[in-house]
Amino acid sequence: MNRFDRITAILIQLQSRKIVKAQDLAERFEISLRTVYRDMNTLAEAGVPIIGEAGVGYSIMDGYRLPPVMFTKEEARTFITAEKLMEKFTDLSTKSHYQSAMFKVKSVLKSAEKNLLEDMEQHIEVRQKYKPFNPTLNNTLEILLKSVADKKVVRMRYSAFNTEETTERQIEPLGIYHENNYWYVVAYCLLRTSYRNFRTDRISHIELTETIFSKQHASLKEHMDSLPKLENLELIVIRAKKHIMPYIQNDKYLHGFVSEKKSGDEFEISFLVASVESFLRWFVMFADFARIVQPEALKDKLKKRLTTILENLSIP
């Protein structure tokens, strides 16, 4: 970042908070405190009404605004919620860009609204159950979105589900979507010569190439709308004890959850399932507090599965 861009960014950050410490600026922009002091003098000489108090920090005289945009308190509160979600469910690069945008948004708020946001930050928390990205990567979404915008091929290493094999792929992304705690990219795979879904946490390496897309693709929305609806889904009904429900609430959506109703100290839950085998493996995790209502064939499969488990336990 050159000096002009840094000073502009410092001005925006000063407008986004009531008080900004010199140490915070030094850490964010990776500069020395001496450089921070020089940048502050530059802003003051340019006519920005900066107030500095030793041991406290810097602030800008109330009423000084650059952008001619104002937000309501209700709109301002939604920024905090969005910021919390961005922190947990996007990659490091996207989160950084969003934080930079938020500094610009906050810079147009009055002191009262800034105080409100700083207080609300302590009252909103987003819990994350799964890691949506490979921990070795920090710019997965940024590269995928740049690929969509520039129509350039992405090269990546990918591990498919239920296999330890990693393959080299070149893909032409249509777009990204978030579902069940994970980010997915829908793309035309040059290796398989067909459209595929890739889960971002299974990508171990990703880079943007200079190769232009081999063909013109529909938008993500058009592609998703054109997909045939799932057929031959099997209805499964179970009954689960009330106290076990909190432990299966999140994962039930991954297994075709349709509805549930309370019946005494149990809940009757219905699913439309594409993979009975996958559902059965999940059901075994809490089968001691639940039972299968239908279909009868699933009960027989469960008995065989439990018999195999007992046999494996008896093997020395």
Side-chain angles (χ1 to χ4, degrees), residues 146 151-153 155 208-213:
K146 186 170 178 56
K151 302 294 186 293
K152 291 184 178 180
V153 173
R155 183 184 297 116
L208 187 67
T209 72
E210 293 300 317
T211 305
I212 302 298
F213 283 2

Side-chain angles (χ1 to χ4, degrees), residues 110-216:
K110 297 179 181 179
S111 295
E113 279 70 38
K114 291 176 187 176
N115 292 338
L116 171 67
L117 291 196
E118 291 179 13
D119 178 67
M120 288 300 295
E121 287 178 0
Q122 308 303 315
H123 298 279
I124 301 174
E125 186 67 27
V126 176
R127 306 292 295 274
Q128 186 180 33
K129 186 176 182 180
Y130 304 104
K131 295 294 184 183
F133 303 99
N134 189 303
T136 63
L137 305 177
N138 62 14
N139 61 346
T140 304
L141 290 186
E142 181 180 14
I143 289 177
L144 292 172
L145 291 174
K146 186 170 178 56
S147 169
V148 173
D150 296 347
K151 302 294 186 293
K152 291 184 178 180
V153 173
V154 166
R155 183 184 297 116
M156 67 180 186
R157 287 197 293 270
Y158 188 76
S159 300
F161 187 68
N162 279 342
T163 179
E164 295 182 359
E165 180 185 4
T166 299
T167 57
E168 294 282 344
R169 305 286 185 103
Q170 291 192 59
I171 62 171
E172 300 176 0
L174 278 66
I176 60 175
Y177 68 94
H178 187 272
E179 184 176 82
N180 297 321
N181 295 296
Y182 292 104
W183 281 97
Y184 296 81
V185 54
V186 178
Y188 181 77
C189 178
L190 297 177
L191 177 65
R192 307 302 186 198
T193 62
S194 63
Y195 291 99
R196 298 295 177 93
N197 278 25
F198 300 96
R199 213 171 79 180
T200 55
D201 65 309
R202 299 185 180 280
I203 300 173
S204 57
H205 172 80
I206 186 169
E207 62 180 293
L208 187 67
T209 72
E210 293 300 317
T211 305
I212 302 298
F213 283 2
S214 63
K215 57 192 297 185
Q216 186 170 351

Side-chain angles (χ1 to χ4, degrees), residues 92-103:
L92 185 62
S93 179
T94 305
K95 180 173 68 175
S96 176
H97 292 321
Y98 184 82
Q99 288 176 336
S100 178
M102 280 301 299
F103 281 129

